[in-house]
C-alpha cells in the first residue's frame, strides 16, 4: 500500500473509531500504529502527540507543582 493510501485509510479508521490521540490509535490497532510509525507517517494522520512537557517536575517551582497537582 502506498504511503498516501495508508494515510487515507488511517484517517478513515481514526474518524470511524472516534480516536483522539496516538495512544488511542495504538490501543485500537497496534499493527496500524506500528506501520505508520515505521514509515514515519504519524505526523500526517492528524493526531496530536501527548504533551509530555509537564512530566518533568524538577524544573517546576513549588507553586507550579502545586497547581499542576
Amino acid at each position: 500500500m502506498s504511503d498516501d493510501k495508508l494515510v487515507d485509510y488511517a484517517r478513515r479508521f481514526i474518524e470511524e473509531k472516534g480516536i483522539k490521540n496516538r495512544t488511542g490509535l495504538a490501543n485500537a490497532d497496534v499493527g496500524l500504529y506500528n506501520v505508520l510509525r515505521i514509515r514515519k507517517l504519524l505526523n500526517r494522520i492528524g493526531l496530536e502527540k501527548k504533551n509530555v512537557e509537564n512530566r518533568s517536575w524538577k524544573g517546576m517551582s513549588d507553586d507550579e507543582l502545586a497547581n499542576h497537582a
Side-chain angles (χ1 to χ4, degrees), residues 4-67:
D4 290 336
K5 286 184 180 182
L6 183 59
V7 168
D8 288 340
Y9 172 80
R11 286 179 179 164
R12 284 193 312 272
F13 181 81
I14 289 164
E15 186 177 327
E16 289 171 5
K17 300 291 184 183
I19 296 169
K20 303 292 183 204
N21 55 41
R22 292 180 182 190
T23 302
L25 176 59
N27 290 337
D29 190 331
V30 72
L32 175 59
Y33 176 83
N34 283 332
V35 169
L36 291 166
R37 183 181 52 80
I38 290 166
R39 289 192 185 184
K40 298 180 178 13
L41 298 173
L42 285 172
N43 289 335
R44 292 181 48 190
I45 60 172
L47 292 177
E48 298 283 327
K49 288 183 186 178
K50 271 191 169 179
N51 183 0
V52 294
E53 171 183 313
N54 291 333
R55 291 186 184 173
S56 178
W57 299 326
K58 72 180 180 181
M60 289 185 181
S61 70
D62 289 342
D63 289 338
E64 290 173 324
L65 185 57
N67 287 334

